Amino acid sequence: MVKQGFEVYVFEALHEIGGVLKYGIPEFRLPNAIIDVEIENLMRMGVHFQTNCVIGKTVSIDQLEADGFQGIFIGSGAGLPNFMGIPGENLINVMSSNEYLTRVNLMDAANPTTDTPINIGKHVLVVGGGNTAMDSCRTARRLGADVTIVYRRSEKEMPARQEEVRHAQEEGVKFMCLHNPVEYVADETGAVSKAVLQVMELGEPDASGRRRPVPVENKTVLLDVDQVIVAIGVSPNPLVSQSVAGLSLGRKNTIAVDDTMCSSRPEIYAGGDIVRGGATVILAMGDGRRAAKNMTERLLTGQKR
């Protein structure tokens, strides 16, 4: 948009620019120095960045429009972690992968002298089989932990990229496929100390085409752990979408858009995980380019939808 001559402002909820590239992807996979170069290039081009600004709380979409903003792109991602709803998920040292990766990647939480240090686990359990689960277990390994990843299906059904799985295995992560947590047990301080894992087997395929995991009756495993990282998926935070009147929503508070990435409100476009749910950086970049092309066309021609 800035290349087309528009004055562009980016409103970021966190204290650093970069979004999931900064807080969700570990340094060993995407160095922050690379992201910083891209941000500096945008600043030199004239893009304005405003941090610590939560759209829907700090300022509303209506206020932005009253201030003269004519085109708005929502790329707020999917930052609301999913949990399993099992006993013990609220124990000390049980956290989402979002919290874990954000605190380690963005807030230097592995440093005991930082303002918000994290408890470093020695026996870490990571729940899930996606790329975020692999990022979490590989991060925990780099912090010196003995790491076990549990996944309710077999390794063949893991949604993570094969090379990510291989890298985790090469780095010493233990894989317990066909296991699923059903409870976390606390020690005398209220911190997690054990995980009860239900042994699973594969049944008939479900709607996704993968064989459905079903419990093996009366068969569980007890695992000693001192930290649990839950990485079973994310949903869009409803704050933005629910704070915009007249915005049509899709499944799980995603924003519904057409082929041009335009929402039900003609001045508002959206893309990335806020539209797709949890997807990839490449797809989000494509959505941004497509939205920019179509928003530019609308703004320059003044066409009405």
Side-chain angles (χ1 to χ4, degrees):
M1 296 300 287
V2 78
K3 285 181 177 178
Q4 298 298 323
F6 294 100
E7 192 168 3
V8 180
Y9 287 76
V10 175
F11 298 95
E12 166 60 49
L14 294 177
H15 60 286
E16 278 195 35
I17 301 296
V20 72
L21 301 179
K22 271 281 183 77
Y23 70 78
I25 301 179
E27 178 82 7
F28 60 84
R29 281 225 296 127
L30 178 60
N32 284 340
I34 293 175
I35 305 165
D36 290 338
V37 168
E38 297 294 335
I39 294 168
E40 288 166 10
N41 288 340
L42 292 171
M43 288 179 172
R44 280 197 292 268
M45 292 167 67
V47 178
H48 306 276
F49 289 94
Q50 184 171 332
T51 56
N52 301 308
C53 182
V54 181
I55 301 299
K57 286 291 185 181
T58 310
V59 64
S60 69
I61 294 288
D62 290 340
Q63 287 174 299
L64 292 177
E65 291 183 330
D67 288 340
F69 287 92
Q70 297 172 300
I72 294 170
F73 176 79
I74 299 176
S76 52
L80 190 66
N82 298 333
F83 284 93
M84 298 177 65
I86 62 176
E89 273 190 319
N90 61 342
L91 295 177
I92 297 169
N93 293 336
V94 178
M95 67 189 75
S96 70
S97 55
N98 285 46
E99 178 185 355
Y100 182 72
L101 292 172
T102 299
R103 292 180 65 183
V104 172
N105 295 339
L106 194 65
M107 302 171 73
D108 195 25
N111 180 354
T113 66
T114 192
D115 290 337
T116 55
I118 198 170
N119 292 330
I120 304 295
K122 294 181 179 178
H123 303 283
V124 174
L125 179 70
V126 176
V127 184
N131 291 323
T132 303
M134 300 305 147
D135 284 346
S136 299
C137 65
R138 294 178 68 195
T139 297
R141 282 292 292 152
R142 281 161 173 76
L143 296 181
D146 178 57
V147 183
T148 301
I149 189 165
V150 295
Y151 180 58
R152 60 182 183 159
R153 290 182 167 96
S154 71
E155 185 178 321
K156 180 182 177 181
E157 281 82 25
M158 276 189 168
R161 295 163 60 206
Q162 288 185 355
E163 57 263 45
E164 296 295 330
V165 174
R166 187 180 71 253
H167 290 158
Q169 291 170 335
E170 290 172 350
E171 291 171 9
V173 175
K174 303 180 185 71
F175 279 64
M176 289 184 67
C177 295
L178 291 171
H179 286 78
N180 202 36
V182 291
E183 182 181 359
Y184 303 118
V185 181
D187 63 14
E188 63 278 1
T189 69
V192 66
S193 64
K194 297 181 186 299
V196 182
L197 307 177
Q198 172 67 56
V199 178
M200 312 293 286
E201 61 184 0
L202 295 179
E204 296 300 314
D206 60 15
S208 72
R210 295 181 298 173
R211 293 176 64 189
R212 184 188 303 275
V214 293
V216 177
E217 191 173 353
N218 298 323
K219 195 169 182 181
T220 60
V221 175
L222 194 62
L223 195 66
D224 290 331
V225 297
D226 58 9
Q227 189 169 63
V228 175
I229 302 165
V230 182
I232 59 170
V234 291
S235 302
N237 192 313
L239 177 61
V240 173
S241 54
Q242 293 182 3
S243 67
V244 183
L247 198 61
S248 295
L249 303 180
R251 183 172 174 265
K252 292 186 177 180
N253 288 306
T254 54
I255 296 176
V257 298
D258 61 17
D259 290 342
T260 71
M261 309 310 297
C262 186
S263 73
S264 54
R265 285 182 51 166
E267 77 282 16
I268 298 177
Y269 290 69
D273 289 359
I274 190 68
V275 168
R276 299 174 177 272
T280 66
V281 173
I282 294 297
L283 289 172
M285 291 171 68
D287 290 349
R289 288 177 177 271
R290 190 176 303 111
K293 176 181 179 295
N294 291 297
M295 195 188 307
T296 296
E297 187 176 297
R298 182 181 70 83
L299 291 172
L300 291 180
T301 62
Q303 68 183 36
K304 302 296 182 182
R305 293 179 58 82

